Amino acid sequence: MADTARTYTDDDIDRWAPDTGVAHDARNLQKKFTTLGISADGTWLLGQCQGSGKEPYQVSVDLADAEKPTFRCNCPSRKFPCKHGLGLVNCWVKDKKKFKAQEPAADLLAKREKNVERKRKIAEAPADAPAGDPASSGPASSGPAKKPNTAALKKKIAAQREGLDLLEKLVLDLASSGQWFEKTRLEKLRRQAPQLGDAYLNAAMYLLNRLVLIGDMEDLSDEERMARGADLVAQLWQTTQKGKAYLDERLDADDTQADADAVMEGILGKTWQLTELKEHGYWGTDLKLIELAYERYDDHARAQRMEISHLLDLNDGRCLQGLTMRPFKGMQFINEQPSYTQVLTVAEAAIYPGYINRRVRWKGGETGEDVTKAHLKAAYAKALPDFKPAFDALKQQMKHPLAPREAVFLVRVAKIGPVGEQVVLEDARGMRLEATNRPRDDAPLDSRKRRASKKKKRAGVPEPVNLSCLEQAAGEFACCEPAVLARLYLLPVASRVVAEPLALLTPDRHLRLGF
Amino acid sequence: MSREQLLDLASELDRLLAAGARSASGSDALRRRAKVVDDLSAKVPALVPLKEAIDKVLTAPAKDAPNALLDLLAKARLMRAGLAESTVPGEIGAVLSREGCQTPLPAKRAHELYDNFVGGGGGKHGALQEAIEKKEINDLRLQRVLVDSLDDKDAGFADEVADKALPLLGRAVLSDLLATLDLAEGDAGDARRLKAICRIDKKQGADLARKALKEGSQKVLIEALELLPEVVPVAEAEKVGVEFAQDKRAPVRAAALKALVTSKDDAALALVVEKVGEKSNDVSAAALEVLGKLAHPKTADRVMERARDLIDNLTVVPKRSPTRKKKAAKGAKKPAKKGAKPAVKKLTDEEIGKLQSKRWQELNLAQSLLYALAQRPDLARQDVADFAAPLMKHKEYQVSNPARMVLIAVGPNVPDALPTLKKLIESSTGWMLNPVVEMLKKLPAKDRAVLLPSLLHAASKGYVPFGVAQGLFEMLREHAATDPKPFKEYLERALKKKEPWLWNLAVTQLLEMDTTASTPYFADALDGYLGFGNSYYTPGYEDLLKLLRRDEPDGKKSVARICKTLAATKKTDTKLNLLRLLAELGPVAAPAKRTVEGLLKDRKKEVKTQVAKTLEAIVPT
C-alpha cells in the first residue's frame, strides 16, 4: 500500500485546525467515513464522510506539499480546514490499513495543477509587483514585499501625527484637571479611544482602553487605582513624545534601530510582513524550538484573545513567543495559535523587533520530532543559573519607557516553598522571587464580580491554575533543582518584581503549569 | 530608607495627578519630598534629572503645569522600575510531598476541558464523561477546577466529579480537598468533599466521618452517615446507624438507615423493616432502598413475611351503595326474602373513602416491599419462587407486577420455579421484557441458555423494545458458538420484519460477524431493505452498502430484485437510494440499464441527475 512522504501525527492535526473544537470534532469522525482511499504516489488522501445531508461529503487532502497540505471538502462549513479534512488525516494517523488504493478524480488533479501554477507565478513575480495580503496578521502572509504607496504612507503619517496631537491634548487635559477616574471623564475617554484607532494608533488606543477599565474597576483600592492610572497616563505621555519623535525621524541617543522598530510596532500598531522583516534583518535560520508553555487569555483593553506559545530555542537558549492575537469580533475567522508537543526544526523564521522575548513567526516548512530526554536535557542546560541575570535584564528592559514591564525567562531554582501565605522561588545564591498568578484584572466588571464572590466563599482559591500547580509539584521537583519558566513582572505600586510560573523542567521531565 | 522615600514621592505624584496639575505647584507635600530628593541627588547623580523635574513642577506657571507634571510622572515611572526589588523575608517552609505530577494533555485540550468544567450548560457532563473514559482526568492543571466543581450549581455534575473524577486523581487532591473542607458549617459541596476523601483514603475518611457525626452540619452529617459503611467497621456503622435512626430530623433518620446497609444484626434488620412504614417519605424510601441490599441473611425472609402479612390482611372495602338515580332506575325496594341474612350496617361514602385510602396505602407499601425484594441478589431460592408465583395472579396490579419482577429475579437456577418463569417470560410483552433481559444478562451464559427460547418466543410477538432486541442479539451471539440455530432464526426474523431499526440492528450483527457466517443472509438483508417501501433510512443504506461490498462483491443476484422494487416504487427517496446502490455495483448492474433509463422521465430533477450518474457508473462510456 502507498504511504505518505511524511509521517503525520495528532500534533499536525492540532496545528492545522482553525480552533480546538474543529480538532476535537475531527477526531470523532472516524466512523462517519464510508470510504477511505490513498493514491498510488501517496500524495492524495480521499474520503467520503457522511454528514447531516443525504449525500456524503467528498473530502480530499492534497499532500503534494507534505508540510502544508491542501484540504478540500464540499461541506458548507466556513471553517478552514473543516473537520472533515482533518478527520480524514486523523483516520490516516489512526489506521492506515483502512485506506484502499484510489486515484483522485480529474477535477482534483486540475485543481492541483492550478495551485502549482499560481505558486509558480507568485514565485516568479518581480519583487515590486503587488501581492500578498497587506492586512494579514496570520502566520502565513505570502508573496513578495508590497511596493510602498508613497501617497498613502504620507496620508497615514499625517493621520498618526494628528492622532498623537489628539492624544497629547487628552493626556494634558487629564493631568490638568485631575480626577481622571470620574465616570463622566471615563465615558469621554471611552468615546475618544476609537479615534486613536482611526488614526492608526492602535497601541495607544489599547492603553487608553486599559485606563478606562482600571477607572471602572470597583474592587481596587484607591491607592492602587491611582498608582496604576498614573502609570498608564505616564506611558501615554511617553507614547506621544516618542511617537512624535519617531514620526519626525528623531531617535534618542540611546535608542537603537531595533528599539525604534519595536516602538513603531508598539505605538503605531504596525503589522509586519514576513518579507519586510527579512529585509530589515529580523530573521533567523535553523531554529530548534521546544514549546515549554502555552497560554491563552482575553485582553479586554485590546478586545483580543491573546494566545502565546513560549518557545525555547535549543540552539541559543532564547525564549521566543509564537503569538496570535484574535479580535473578539470575528475570532472564528482567525486560526488559533498552534501549541506544539514536538520539537520543531524551523529552517527560516521571522524574529520580530522587540525586547527580551521576541515574537517568532514562520511560514510552514517546519519539521517535528518527538520530545526526548536529550531534548529536555538540552533545554534544561539553557536555563539561567540564577535569578540575577534575569532580574537585571528585566530592569534593563524597563529602562525603555515603552517596553513591556515583564519578560519570560528559564531559570534554575534551588528551593520552592511557602513563606507565610506566599510561595517563594529561591535560586542557588539565595535570591528570592515571589511566585504568583498573573492577575487578569482588566476583565469586565461582571466576570470579576463572579470571581470575587467565589473567592469570598473559598478564600485563597485563585482562578488561574499556575500557582496551585507549582505548589502541588514543588515537593516532587524540589529535590532535583528544576528550571522554572517564569514570567517576571513588575508590580507598580509596591515596585516589586514577582514571577508567574509557566513550566517546570528537569533534565528528564517537563511539566506545563498553565494553559 | 532612600528607596522608601522615593517610592513615597512616586505615591505623592499619583495623588497629585488625581488632584490635578494646578495643585502641584503649591503642594507642600511635594515640596517636602523635593527636599529629600535634593539631599539624595547630592549623593546619587542619577537622581538629578528627577530633582530638576520636581523643581520644574514647583515653579511652572499654571499653563505649563500639566506638561511639567507629566514629565515628572514619566521620570517617576522609570524610577519605580529602577527601584524594583524581589526580596521575600522569612524561612521557606516545607512543601507537600506528592508523586506522579503530570500534565500529559495538550494545552488546548486541557484548556477545552477547563472551559467546559467552569462553564454553564449541560456540555460539562459529556465533557467529564469523555475525559474519564479517555483517562484524561489525571492532569495536574485540571485538579483545582475539579475540586472547585464540587461547589458547582449543577448538582448532578458536582456529584459525578465527587463520585468518579476525583477518586481517579487519588491522593494528589487530598490536600486540596482537606484545605477547603468545612464540616461544621458545610454545605452540599463539603458533603461531596467528604465523599471524595472517603473514596480516596478510607482511613482519613473514617476519621473525618466520625468528626462529622459529632460536629457536622446537617448536609455533612447525612453524607457521613451514608459513607460510614464504606469506611468504618460494620459494628461501628451499625451502632451509629441505630443511634441516629431516632433523630428528630427525617433526612438524618433516612441517612442513618443507609448506614446499616452492611449490618447483619437482627435489631438493625427489625429497625429497617419497621421504618418502611414510617410516614416520612424520605425515611420509608431509604428503608426500602436499604432492604434491597442489606447484608443480613434473613432480609429476604423478613421482607416476604412483611409483604405477605400486608397482602393477606388488606383492608376490605365494601361496595358503595348505588346513587339515587341508579336506585330510581332499579325501581321500588324489593321485599326482603324469607331467611335472608340480616342487613349489615351500611357505611357512609366518607367511611368507604377512608377504607379505600387505607387499602391503597397498604397496596403501595406491599408494592414497594416487593420491588425492594426484587433488587436483592440472594433470591435464587425455592421459597422465594413459591412466594412470588401465586402473587403473580393477584387481582391488584400493585401486587402482581412486582411479584413478576421477584420471580424474574429468582432466575432459572431454581428448578421448581423454572416452568413458572418460562411461562412468565413467554407471556410477557413489550417493556415487561426489559427486566428479563437485564436479569439474563447478569447470569453466566450456561445458566441463561434454558430461558432463551422463552425469551425468543416472547420477542416474536408484538412490540419489542430496542434494548430487548439488542440484549437478545448479544446473548444469542454468545450462544451461537454452541447452538447457532436460535441466533440464525432471530436474525432472519429481524431482517424480514418491517422495522427499520430492528433490520439495522440485524445488519450491524451481520457486519460484526465474519464473512462466511453472514454470507447467506445478504439476500435476506436486501429483501428486508427493499421491503420497507420507503428507504429513507440512511444509516441502513450505508450498512447495506458495506454488507454488499463484503458479501456479494459481484452483486449480480441483487440487481433483478433492486430493479423490481425500483420500477414499482413511487417514493423519491427510495428511487434515489436504489439508484445509488446500483451505481455502487457498477458494471455488474448493467442489466438494470433499461429500468434505470425508464426513470429519465421522472418528474424530480434530483432523480434525473442520479439516473445520469447511475447510468454512467453501470454502463461506462
Side-chain angles (χ1 to χ4, degrees), chain A residues 16-323:
Chain A
W16 294 325
D19 57 53
T20 335
V22 174
H24 181 249
D25 292 347
R27 292 199 171 89
N28 292 333
L29 276 181
Q30 260 176 292
K31 286 185 181 171
K32 297 274 180 180
F33 276 92
T34 52
T35 63
L36 292 166
I38 180 165
S39 62
D41 60 358
T43 61
W44 288 96
L45 294 182
L46 304 158
Q48 289 189 331
C49 184
Q50 188 59 55
S52 50
K54 280 182 196 170
E55 298 278 355
Y57 299 126
Q58 304 295 327
V59 194
S60 71
V61 183
D62 182 354
L63 301 169
D65 181 349
E67 298 303 330
K68 208 179 159 210
T70 307
F71 294 88
R72 293 190 182 92
C73 178
N74 61 352
C75 74
S77 170
R78 288 201 293 176
K79 298 200 171 170
F80 186 81
C82 66
K83 61 181 179 182
H84 307 104
L86 292 169
L88 184 57
V89 179
N90 180 53
C91 289
W92 176 252
V93 170
K94 294 279 153 37
D95 192 358
K96 292 179 184 176
K97 287 175 192 166
K98 283 186 181 169
F99 283 72
K100 291 175 184 165
Q102 189 185 346
E103 291 310 313
D107 63 324
L108 286 176
L109 291 172
K111 281 178 186 170
R112 177 190 275 186
E113 266 177 37
K114 215 172 159 184
N115 203 8
V116 170
E117 185 63 19
R118 192 172 57 85
K119 281 184 182 166
R120 193 181 57 78
K121 274 185 185 168
I122 291 170
E124 285 173 2
D128 56 349
D133 175 11
S136 168
S137 61
S141 68
S142 60
K146 204 177 164 189
K147 187 182 175 184
N149 181 336
T150 327
L153 201 62
K154 271 187 184 170
K155 209 172 160 187
K156 188 178 170 184
I157 290 173
Q160 286 175 328
R161 189 68 215 223
E162 275 177 32
L164 286 171
D165 287 341
L166 169 72
L167 180 62
E168 189 177 44
K169 209 176 143 196
L170 272 174
V171 178
L172 281 170
D173 186 38
L174 280 179
S176 170
S177 48
Q179 303 292 316
W180 60 267
F181 41 80
E182 257 190 1
K183 278 196 175 167
T184 49
R185 194 167 287 273
L186 291 175
E187 193 49 48
K188 194 177 162 193
L189 289 177
R190 205 191 310 272
R191 281 200 309 274
Q192 282 168 326
Q195 289 179 32
L196 296 177
D198 296 342
Y200 308 101
L201 296 172
N202 287 338
M205 177 177 75
Y206 302 148
L207 282 176
L208 208 56
N209 284 341
R210 208 174 295 284
L211 183 68
V212 173
L213 284 169
I214 285 172
D216 269 342
M217 282 168 73
E218 282 177 0
D219 52 352
L220 274 187
S221 67
D222 282 349
E223 188 193 7
E224 197 176 348
R225 189 193 317 280
M226 282 195 289
R228 292 176 60 182
D231 190 69
L232 282 170
V233 170
Q235 210 176 334
L236 282 164
W237 178 247
Q238 291 279 10
T239 300
T240 61
Q241 306 306 304
K242 283 270 178 188
K244 279 182 180 178
Y246 179 82
L247 290 179
D248 297 343
E249 296 181 350
R250 286 183 287 109
L251 290 180
D252 282 352
D254 54 345
D255 276 1
T256 62
Q257 185 59 43
D259 285 344
D261 285 338
V263 168
M264 189 162 95
E265 192 188 9
I267 299 175
L268 308 179
K270 178 177 168 54
T271 307
W272 293 91
Q273 301 283 314
L274 283 181
T275 43
E276 227 178 326
L277 288 163
K278 193 171 184 177
E279 273 171 22
H280 285 75
Y282 299 120
W283 204 253
T285 51
D286 296 326
L287 308 180
K288 203 168 178 70
L289 303 172
I290 181 170
E291 185 184 272
L292 293 181
Y294 181 92
E295 59 178 339
R296 180 178 87 166
Y297 62 89
D298 289 345
D299 186 328
H300 291 270
R302 300 175 73 105
Q304 287 175 336
R305 172 163 294 175
M306 312 294 287
E307 292 165 350
I308 307 171
S309 165
H310 295 279
L311 299 158
L312 180 80
D313 188 347
L314 291 175
N315 294 326
D316 57 15
R318 275 183 301 179
C319 290
L320 300 170
Q321 292 183 339
L323 172 67

Side-chain angles (χ1 to χ4, degrees), chain A residues 224-478:
Chain A
E224 197 176 348
R225 189 193 317 280
M226 282 195 289
R228 292 176 60 182
D231 190 69
L232 282 170
V233 170
Q235 210 176 334
L236 282 164
W237 178 247
Q238 291 279 10
T239 300
T240 61
Q241 306 306 304
K242 283 270 178 188
K244 279 182 180 178
Y246 179 82
L247 290 179
D248 297 343
E249 296 181 350
R250 286 183 287 109
L251 290 180
D252 282 352
D254 54 345
D255 276 1
T256 62
Q257 185 59 43
D259 285 344
D261 285 338
V263 168
M264 189 162 95
E265 192 188 9
I267 299 175
L268 308 179
K270 178 177 168 54
T271 307
W272 293 91
Q273 301 283 314
L274 283 181
T275 43
E276 227 178 326
L277 288 163
K278 193 171 184 177
E279 273 171 22
H280 285 75
Y282 299 120
W283 204 253
T285 51
D286 296 326
L287 308 180
K288 203 168 178 70
L289 303 172
I290 181 170
E291 185 184 272
L292 293 181
Y294 181 92
E295 59 178 339
R296 180 178 87 166
Y297 62 89
D298 289 345
D299 186 328
H300 291 270
R302 300 175 73 105
Q304 287 175 336
R305 172 163 294 175
M306 312 294 287
E307 292 165 350
I308 307 171
S309 165
H310 295 279
L311 299 158
L312 180 80
D313 188 347
L314 291 175
N315 294 326
D316 57 15
R318 275 183 301 179
C319 290
L320 300 170
Q321 292 183 339
L323 172 67
T324 301
M325 291 162 280
R326 301 199 296 153
F328 293 157
K329 285 183 184 170
M331 199 186 293
Q332 68 272 35
F333 303 118
I334 298 175
N335 286 2
E336 284 179 9
Q337 168 65 36
S339 171
Y340 309 98
T341 52
Q342 289 185 308
V343 173
L344 303 173
T345 304
V346 185
E348 278 192 313
I351 297 174
Y352 281 57
Y355 303 93
I356 294 169
N357 304 125
R358 297 206 174 182
R359 183 181 172 190
V360 62
R361 183 157 75 99
W362 62 89
K363 193 182 132 189
E366 77 275 20
T367 53
E369 54 185 308
D370 288 341
V371 179
T372 61
K373 286 193 176 175
H375 291 127
L376 295 179
K377 201 175 171 184
Y380 181 75
K382 298 291 178 196
L384 297 172
D386 54 66
F387 298 161
K388 192 163 185 309
F391 195 76
D392 290 346
L394 176 65
K395 273 189 145 181
Q396 188 62 32
Q397 175 175 298
M398 289 191 299
K399 279 185 182 169
H400 196 292
L402 295 174
R405 306 194 138 205
E406 61 180 44
V408 175
F409 299 94
L410 183 66
V411 282
R412 280 191 206 171
V413 177
K415 273 185 193 172
I416 305 171
V419 174
E421 293 287 300
Q422 298 163 321
V423 179
V424 171
L425 306 172
E426 188 179 276
D427 67 8
R429 291 176 161 206
M431 186 176 173
R432 288 180 179 183
L433 279 168
E434 184 195 342
T436 64
N437 279 315
R438 185 179 170 78
R440 311 276 186 230
D441 49 13
D442 54 359
L445 202 57
D446 52 345
S447 68
R448 274 187 290 109
K449 269 187 177 170
R450 275 203 303 275
R451 216 186 308 162
S453 63
K454 203 173 177 185
K455 270 186 180 175
K456 204 174 168 187
K457 195 174 175 198
R458 298 272 164 218
V461 183
E463 198 174 82
V465 298
N466 301 50
L467 189 60
S468 71
C469 285
L470 178 74
E471 283 181 276
Q472 292 287 340
E476 198 178 349
F477 279 73

Side-chain angles (χ1 to χ4, degrees), chain B residues 315-517:
Chain B
T315 305
V316 180
V317 183
K319 283 185 180 174
R320 284 173 191 270
S321 55
T323 57
R324 197 174 292 169
K325 278 186 183 175
K326 282 181 185 172
K327 278 182 190 170
K330 281 185 180 175
K333 249 186 185 177
K334 287 177 185 173
K337 283 180 185 175
K338 278 182 185 174
K341 286 178 186 173
V344 183
K345 188 200 165 191
K346 282 185 182 174
L347 296 173
T348 62
D349 283 357
E350 197 183 337
E351 285 167 333
I352 292 174
K354 277 183 185 172
L355 288 175
Q356 264 176 343
S357 169
K358 196 178 171 202
R359 182 181 171 87
W360 191 256
Q361 281 173 11
E362 288 162 357
L363 281 169
N364 280 343
L365 189 55
Q367 182 184 28
S368 302
L369 281 166
L370 291 174
Y371 275 130
L373 182 65
Q375 300 302 314
R376 293 199 57 81
D378 55 354
L379 296 188
R381 288 158 37 185
Q382 183 61 49
D383 59 333
V384 180
D386 293 344
F387 164 77
L391 292 180
M392 285 181 352
K393 291 170 190 162
H394 200 279
K395 63 177 181 176
E396 300 285 2
Y397 72 89
Q398 288 101 324
V399 177
S400 58
N401 281 349
R404 296 167 71 93
M405 302 290 282
V406 173
L407 197 70
I408 289 168
V410 169
N413 291 334
V414 179
D416 288 355
L418 199 55
T420 324
L421 191 57
K422 280 182 178 174
K423 266 189 199 170
L424 165 66
I425 294 174
E426 281 166 19
S427 65
S428 302
T429 51
W431 64 267
M432 291 156 80
L433 289 169
N434 277 325
V436 178
V437 170
E438 289 307 312
M439 178 267 290
L440 288 178
K441 272 160 89 176
K442 283 179 201 164
L443 293 175
K446 63 178 176 52
D447 289 350
R448 70 165 91 104
V450 67
L451 286 177
L452 280 178
S454 305
L455 184 59
L456 267 173
H457 177 78
S460 66
K461 303 173 292 178
Y463 163 72
V464 178
F466 181 83
V468 172
Q470 201 177 26
L472 199 49
F473 265 127
E474 276 172 28
M475 290 187 283
L476 289 174
R477 267 188 72 181
E478 268 185 57
H479 286 274
T482 48
D483 180 14
K485 200 180 161 198
F487 178 67
K488 284 181 178 176
E489 277 176 8
Y490 191 60
L491 197 61
E492 278 167 18
R493 202 192 304 160
L495 288 171
K496 285 173 187 167
K497 198 153 189 174
K498 289 186 178 180
E499 282 282 6
W501 65 264
L502 187 59
W503 177 87
N504 205 39
L505 203 56
V507 173
T508 312
Q509 297 295 320
L510 284 176
L511 285 169
E512 284 172 13
M513 288 162 65
D514 61 53
T515 317
T516 46

Side-chain angles (χ1 to χ4, degrees), chain B residues 128-178:
Chain B
L128 182 67
Q129 202 61 41
E130 191 185 338
I132 290 171
E133 277 168 20
K134 291 185 176 172
K135 297 180 180 164
E136 292 177 328
I137 285 293
N138 203 355
D139 188 294
L140 188 64
R141 292 165 293 178
L142 298 177
Q143 187 175 310
R144 179 52 62 93
V145 69
L146 284 171
V147 172
D148 287 349
S149 296
L150 293 173
D151 295 307
D152 202 285
K153 279 182 190 169
D154 184 339
F157 175 71
D159 287 339
E160 230 171 308
V161 169
D163 245 355
K164 296 176 187 166
L166 289 176
L168 290 176
L169 293 174
R171 305 183 68 84
V173 280
L174 267 183
S175 56
D176 267 3
L177 291 169
L178 289 166

Side-chain angles (χ1 to χ4, degrees), chain A residues 24 34 50 175 179 227 230-231 237-238 296 337 395 401 416 418 422 432 458 472 475-476 495 497 509 512, chain B residues 3 14 18 21 67 71 74 77 80 82 85-86 88 90 93 95-96 98 101 103 108 111 115 130 180 542:
Chain A
H24 181 249
T34 52
Q50 188 59 55
Q179 303 292 316
D231 190 69
W237 178 247
Q238 291 279 10
R296 180 178 87 166
Q337 168 65 36
K395 273 189 145 181
I416 305 171
Q422 298 163 321
R432 288 180 179 183
R458 298 272 164 218
Q472 292 287 340
E476 198 178 349
S495 193
V497 172
R509 289 183 69 187
R512 292 164 183 258
Chain B
R3 181 176 185 271
D14 298 343
N67 252 324
D71 281 341
R77 183 170 180 267
R80 258 183 170 152
E85 60 172 28
S86 68
V88 186
V95 287
L96 297 165
R98 56 161 289 184
C101 287
T103 52
K108 289 185 183 181
H111 209 145
D115 280 353
E130 191 185 338
T180 47
E542 294 298 335

